Amino acid sequence: MGRPGYPRPAARSRLVALPGLLALILALLASPALAQSRLAGGMPGALPVDGVLTPDGPKISWTDATPKFAGSVEVSRRPLGANGTASWQVIAPGLGPVQAYLDRTATDGTAWEYRVRRFGREVVDQGYWTGGRDVATPDHRGLAVLVIEDAIAAPLAAEIDRFTDDLTGDGWLVRHLSSPAARDEQGPVRLLSALELKSALRQHRADHPDGDMAIILLGRVPMVASGLVAPDGHKRMPHSTDLFYADLDQRWPATAEGLLTPHQIPDGRIEAMIGRIDLSNMGALDRETELDWLRDYLTRNHDWRHGRMGDLRNGYAAHANHLFVEHHGLAAIIGKTAITEGGHAQAGQQGQWLFGLDFGPAGGDAYFNDFSANPVFAINFGSHKQKIARFRNPMNALMTPPNGALAVAWGGRPAWRLHGMAMGETIGAAQMRSVNNGPARGNDLSTTDYLPTGRYPFLHPIWGNLLGDPTLRAFPIQPPGPVTSRPEADGQRITWQASPQPGARYRVYRLAETGPTQLLAETPDHAAGVLDPDGTEDSRYMVRTLAPLDVPAGSLMTLSQGRFTD
């Protein structure tokens, strides 16, 4: 990895002027103390924060801090999902040189996000943790738009239908868009296709404004490039960005050659999580092999959602000097004692893992010829990997058989904030938290939600892409068995086979043709059937397991994938 860089204005350049915030970042990059636990131009060091749920409430600790004690400590709290520094409530304004805090006022049913700051003579650092008791999975998550390359719709019809059911069964209202295979077209043609797609995405959001929005690109959907940046410290160049689609409320200027010009997200925010499932740059010998790889991915995705890979509570991590923020986030998800030292080429090939963090091998061929790794979620940091259009990109390699990942990000520059996944958030929510992180007021880094942003103060990256499915989350539970519906004199009787999940209860839904599913009933644990007095033989139903689940950061009341009457 080299020293990261941004573009210098050129006399005849068509690019936008360098924003004031980037000028600040360039100045901060000159500070050799930035990677240390010191205040440098408003950038604090990273504090490893841990936590555990006690009978009296969440207990937050920072016993791994260096140094152990540093002046005064401030603890703040807010509901997970809130944003903006004004949303933090200081609950312990001046604790003195301590290493833990017990929050006795945290109410059950809420995922609480904590920020711990330490202020000392030579040390200013901060870190984050999230936890809670009996935190519920939402019945309805929002809108998921599945953008499908038109040439794969027929050969992958069965897998796409199953994937659509899986998204529906996780609480998403699903809509489909068809896209031409314009990924490899000339710049202006590709950009025109991308603009048409973005317009359709905006319309879907306008039609369904409630909840979150997820965009999933399946196949050779147009890939656009923007800016002239070098986050890995190499040559400044345009970077492929799917975030163009997720920035629903902004127009991105472009050149006549079809290149977008912004070096950062124009207004600093994306309005949707977005992921790309596209293995066309991985060197398949023919299109059928590429389709087989996509089938394999969608099957593994289905198996993970339905709990068939097990209740994974493990992770591996290497190169903590580059990925220390992600390492702290992984500790929040699985607990710091469950992290194994090692990388994709070492620990990653030793069984199945929930998460893997590494500055992995630079060459894509290594992931096929030398080893195969099997984390469900992964960070694969390193030079050139963020350039997702490159042939045999090592991030995409982790999702291509014989490797087994389902979602991969670059991380590091800026760091990905993963800690919300400890309480049931999606990997796409982590993407939005990381990409949208930045100052609320001008160039004032003290108004940035999450600091530090890694070893360098990168903000609002156009290269903050996610490869894979953004709607995936940790800790899936076992769904019920097959679901049936039969007519009775007073309605439709819905029955199902019990789930093996301990403590299972069930929620029963009637599917709507145009809107979210309708919750009909929540059953006690001994029930295996309900009556819908308004149902007909044409009604379609879904049943989800509802069960308590202890996780390292607390406890969840979590919902399984839905099982359907067909």
Side-chain angles (χ1 to χ4, degrees):
M1 295 290 290
R3 190 173 186 81
Y6 286 88
R8 299 182 181 91
R12 301 182 62 184
S13 173
R14 298 187 185 185
L15 298 176
V16 296
L18 189 66
L21 180 58
L22 289 182
L24 172 67
I25 291 174
L26 284 171
L28 289 174
L29 287 175
S31 172
L34 192 57
Q36 303 172 15
S37 181
R38 298 290 187 271
L39 183 65
M43 192 75 156
L47 178 66
V49 178
D50 199 5
V52 63
L53 184 64
T54 76
D56 296 322
K59 182 179 181 181
I60 307 100
S61 60
W62 43 99
T63 54
D64 291 337
T66 303
K68 293 291 186 184
F69 300 97
S72 180
V73 176
E74 173 194 275
V75 180
S76 301
R77 182 187 72 189
R78 66 183 179 185
L80 182 65
N83 57 73
T85 52
S87 64
W88 290 108
Q89 175 193 6
V90 178
I91 57 176
L95 292 178
V98 297
Q99 290 187 291
Y101 175 77
L102 177 61
D103 182 8
R104 299 178 183 273
T105 65
T107 54
D108 294 348
T110 298
W112 293 105
E113 184 179 25
Y114 293 89
R115 181 186 67 190
V116 180
R117 287 174 160 177
R118 302 195 310 166
F119 304 93
R121 179 175 297 178
E122 295 184 359
V123 175
V124 177
D125 54 18
Q126 64 189 50
Y128 306 84
W129 182 80
T130 188
R133 190 192 316 273
D134 297 337
V135 176
T137 301
D139 286 291
H140 303 298
R141 292 187 174 273
L143 171 68
V145 182
L146 181 55
V147 183
I148 305 163
E149 179 201 339
D150 50 17
I152 69 173
L156 294 183
E159 289 80 9
I160 291 171
D161 286 347
R162 184 181 62 190
F163 188 33
T164 301
D165 272 352
D166 284 341
L167 292 167
T168 303
D170 194 28
W172 295 95
L173 174 65
V174 185
R175 293 292 180 263
H176 287 185
L177 283 174
S178 180
S179 170
R183 171 173 169 161
D184 301 320
E185 295 287 351
Q186 294 297 315
V189 175
R190 185 170 63 245
L191 180 57
L192 180 60
S193 297
L195 287 167
E196 292 174 350
L197 174 55
K198 185 170 181 175
S199 177
L201 290 166
R202 281 185 176 132
Q203 187 59 56
H204 273 300
R205 189 50 166 168
D207 293 341
H208 306 286
D210 297 331
D212 295 331
M213 182 177 182
I215 302 168
I216 306 169
L217 311 177
L218 182 61
R220 300 180 182 184
V221 176
M223 181 184 289
V224 294
S226 187
L228 281 175
V229 292
D232 57 358
H234 294 278
K235 181 180 178 181
R236 296 182 177 99
M237 62 187 301
H239 271 59
S240 297
T241 176
D242 288 331
L243 304 186
F244 165 76
Y245 297 119
D247 185 13
L248 296 171
D249 62 358
Q250 293 293 308
R251 295 186 179 275
W252 292 38
T255 69
E257 292 77 24
L259 288 173
L260 301 168
T261 60
H263 315 308
Q264 293 178 291
I265 307 299
D267 65 344
R269 297 194 64 79
I270 55 174
E271 287 71 47
M273 60 187 78
I274 185 166
R276 177 178 288 268
I277 306 167
D278 176 4
L279 305 178
S280 60
N281 64 331
M282 297 314 296
L285 296 178
D286 49 45
R287 193 71 201 272
E288 188 54 44
T289 300
E290 181 188 331
L291 292 175
D292 285 342
W293 287 348
L294 290 173
R295 289 190 187 96
D296 177 87
Y297 175 90
L298 294 173
T299 298
R300 286 186 283 113
N301 185 299
H302 177 76
D303 289 346
W304 170 251
R305 290 172 172 275
H306 286 257
R308 296 174 185 170
M309 296 184 186
D311 183 13
L312 299 180
R313 307 290 183 94
N314 57 354
Y316 61 86
H319 293 90
N321 58 326
H322 290 284
L323 300 172
F324 53 89
V325 171
E326 289 87 351
H327 194 284
H328 298 168
L330 179 57
I333 299 169
I334 62 174
K336 62 184 181 182
T337 60
I339 301 176
T340 296
E341 177 66 29
H344 300 315
Q346 295 82 42
Q349 59 184 327
Q350 299 169 10
Q352 186 77 58
W353 302 83
L354 179 63
F355 230 115
L357 311 175
D358 189 19
F359 191 132
D365 288 352
Y367 298 78
F368 300 92
N369 302 329
D370 302 336
F371 69 94
S372 61
N374 290 285
V376 176
F377 304 98
I379 299 290
N380 199 0
F381 185 59
S383 292
H384 306 297
K385 294 176 188 172
Q386 83 283 3
K387 302 165 187 174
I388 59 173
R390 289 171 66 96
F391 179 73
R392 287 223 161 175
N393 175 278
M395 286 170 57
N396 227 7
L398 277 174
M399 297 200 311
T400 310
N403 300 275
L406 295 176
V408 186
W410 192 52
R413 298 181 180 179
W416 274 49
R417 292 288 173 178
L418 303 171
H419 57 276
M421 295 182 70
M423 283 281 103
E425 275 197 346
T426 63
I427 184 68
Q431 177 192 40
M432 293 186 69
R433 178 174 287 110
S434 306
V435 170
N436 292 347
N437 188 39
R441 298 192 302 268
N443 296 335
D444 183 2
L445 283 180
S446 69
T447 64
T448 298
D449 244 353
Y450 299 99
L451 292 173
T453 61
R455 294 182 65 188
Y456 300 97
F458 283 110
L459 303 167
H460 311 310
I462 57 171
W463 59 91
N465 300 295
L466 177 68
L467 299 181
D469 180 357
T471 69
L472 294 174
R473 51 194 171 92
F475 314 127
I477 63 171
Q478 298 286 330
V483 179
T484 60
S485 171
R486 67 176 186 273
E488 293 187 354
D490 47 359
Q492 286 292 122
R493 174 70 60 179
I494 305 102
T495 59
W496 57 90
Q497 293 181 11
S499 165
Q501 188 71 33
R505 306 201 300 270
Y506 303 95
R507 285 186 178 169
V508 183
Y509 308 80
R510 186 195 305 127
L511 273 66
E513 292 185 5
T514 58
T517 57
Q518 177 185 355
L519 178 63
L520 296 178
E522 181 178 318
T523 74
D525 56 5
H526 61 275
V530 299
L531 181 71
D532 177 14
D534 298 320
T536 69
E537 291 189 38
D538 293 328
S539 299
R540 191 179 187 215
Y541 297 94
M542 177 177 77
V543 181
R544 301 178 75 179
T545 304
L546 173 68
L549 188 68
D550 290 332
V551 296
S555 61
L556 304 172
M557 286 300 299
T558 192
L559 285 165
S560 74
Q561 282 290 144
R563 291 291 298 266
F564 300 88
T565 55
D566 287 308

